[in-house]
Amino acid sequence: MRTTTDAIWFERAKSAVYAPVELPDPGPRDLVVRAEYSGVSMGTEIWYYSGRRTGDIRFPAVPGYQTVGIVESAGADVVGFAPGDRVFVSKGNISEKHPRNWFGAHMRTLVADFETAIKIEDGIDPREAVFSGMPAVSMRGFGYLKTQPGDKVIVIGQGMIGQMSAQLSKIHGLHVMATDHYPMRVEMSAAHSSHRAVTASEVDLVAWVKEQTDGAGADIVIDTTGVPSIFKQCVDLVRHRGQIVMQGWYPEPISVDFHLTHLKEPTVYFPCGFYKEAQLQALGWLKTGELKIDPLITHVFHPKDCQEAYQLMLQRPAETLNVLFDWEQ
């Protein structure tokens, strides 16, 4: 008899339900993991939930790609993991009787290929470890940059990717400025992520950055907003021959004013995804305290309240930053 487990389902756009899902029989390469926490991607999952991310999704499906839990059993061919280990899992498998899955990490029990899991060392808070993919995403963009200590960077958008981009820049010795439309995120950034942070509606951002950089503009501009029209402002903010990272996910095409960009001669990067090695590095920084995630968690929900959680994130983003599902409640 096949096993079922509780899961979060996206039935259709703007409809999340807590319902059972049938699991496949674990294979020799599989781990069976009991979830402790799963984290919401405020970017990707909200695009998906709202129905705006098209092309690589369909409904219904189990969302999520950030879960931390305890290994309950390991298949005969599993290497490096044993029952009792705490692991990060980005994808859980479900029975073929269900519609195609989409990562599918928001489940109480996960069956996952061991090569997709990452072991979490002792001394790392599982509430922080569950979001360790977020700094890894920021590291993908940061890894393209040529930086020197003291370089001045402006990070636009202080959602989770923006906060992690700011903290990562600080770890590498850069002087970090940050901005967001939401005062709560600006306050969190000033306290935990950047050196200086301002609310976008309260300043002329280009003038403010020039004041901070002796009129030259930022050495590096990192945008995490997902707003295509922001590219022109990135060009306005960057110094001559500076660097721009378009770190967000942009649902509409980005237009480039060739003449203005041509005069600045910036190098522009469009990173995508992250590597496991970057996540392992992020976990190391969480263990040493150089990265701080727990102070950025604004809400914890029981998974059965998933519709309330996603509606909150969609309708009141000014009040949310990191949202966690607690599977052990």
Side-chain angles (χ1 to χ4, degrees):
M1 180 180 293
R2 292 263 177 116
T3 301
T4 62
T5 192
D6 298 323
I8 294 171
W9 281 93
F10 284 173
E11 287 187 305
R12 55 187 179 277
K14 301 181 182 178
S15 175
V17 297
Y18 182 66
V21 60
E22 187 175 286
L23 297 175
D25 294 328
R29 293 173 50 87
D30 286 334
L31 300 173
V32 177
V33 178
R34 170 177 52 82
E36 297 176 290
Y37 299 103
S38 62
V40 178
S41 166
M42 291 284 289
T44 302
E45 280 186 61
I46 299 306
W47 287 120
Y48 188 174
Y49 172 77
S50 63
R52 293 190 64 195
R53 180 162 180 152
T54 58
D56 61 347
I57 65 167
R58 73 179 189 186
F59 298 100
V62 179
Y65 58 88
Q66 305 178 100
T67 295
V68 164
I70 304 299
V71 174
E72 293 191 324
S73 64
D77 295 342
V78 170
V79 177
F81 298 92
D85 287 344
R86 174 172 282 131
V87 294
F88 174 97
V89 178
S90 60
K91 179 176 176 57
N93 297 318
I94 59 177
S95 167
E96 66 278 357
K97 69 173 283 186
H98 294 294
R100 181 175 65 99
N101 206 19
W102 187 80
F103 287 103
H106 287 314
M107 292 193 285
R108 185 174 300 280
T109 300
L110 299 94
V111 176
D113 188 297
F114 79 95
E115 289 193 351
T116 67
I118 295 176
K119 188 180 294 186
I120 307 299
E121 295 181 8
D122 292 342
I124 302 175
D125 187 338
R127 285 167 48 104
E128 293 198 301
V130 77
F131 290 109
S132 57
M134 297 292 97
V137 170
S138 297
M139 288 168 70
R140 182 64 175 267
F142 193 89
Y144 289 112
L145 295 170
K146 298 175 179 63
T147 66
Q148 299 181 40
D151 279 351
K152 295 180 178 179
V153 55
I154 173 71
V155 183
I156 307 172
Q158 285 299 283
M160 191 54 183
I161 300 300
Q163 300 273 351
M164 294 297 95
S165 295
Q167 290 191 29
L168 185 65
S169 297
K170 284 177 70 175
I171 288 172
H172 285 81
L174 279 57
H175 180 80
V176 185
M177 302 167 282
T179 185
D180 198 284
H181 283 291
Y182 303 131
M184 179 269 288
R185 295 185 181 185
V186 171
E187 291 170 10
M188 286 187 161
S189 178
H192 306 291
S193 301
S194 62
H195 292 104
R196 297 196 66 185
V198 293
T199 303
S201 61
E202 296 179 357
V203 297
D204 178 328
L205 191 61
V206 173
W208 182 76
V209 168
K210 286 188 175 180
E211 287 176 8
Q212 313 304 311
T213 59
D214 298 322
D219 298 297
I220 298 163
V221 179
I222 301 175
D223 176 69
T224 68
T225 64
V227 178
S229 61
I230 203 75
F231 184 79
K232 180 183 183 301
Q233 187 175 52
C234 294
V235 174
D236 291 338
L237 290 166
V238 77
R239 67 166 172 81
H240 183 245
R241 293 188 177 177
Q243 300 173 85
I244 298 172
V245 180
M246 302 303 289
Q247 186 68 77
W249 182 77
Y250 304 87
E252 287 90 29
I254 293 175
S255 297
V256 176
D257 184 321
F258 174 80
H259 183 66
L260 293 177
T261 311
H262 175 71
L263 293 176
K264 281 289 186 75
E265 298 184 279
T267 301
V268 185
Y269 302 101
F270 297 87
C272 177
F274 64 91
Y275 295 119
K276 181 181 287 189
E277 292 77 13
Q279 189 170 359
L280 290 169
Q281 177 65 75
L283 287 165
W285 282 325
L286 285 172
K287 189 170 184 177
T288 62
E290 292 171 275
L291 274 177
K292 300 176 180 64
I293 291 179
D294 193 69
L296 306 177
I297 297 172
T298 57
H299 296 80
V300 179
F301 287 91
H302 189 286
K304 66 181 177 59
D305 299 320
C306 54
Q307 176 67 0
E308 177 187 349
Y310 284 107
Q311 280 293 299
L312 173 70
M313 289 179 274
L314 181 65
Q315 297 176 355
R316 290 148 56 193
E319 301 173 23
T320 57
L321 184 52
N322 266 357
V323 175
L324 197 65
F325 290 118
D326 183 348
W327 291 89
E328 295 196 316
Q329 286 189 28

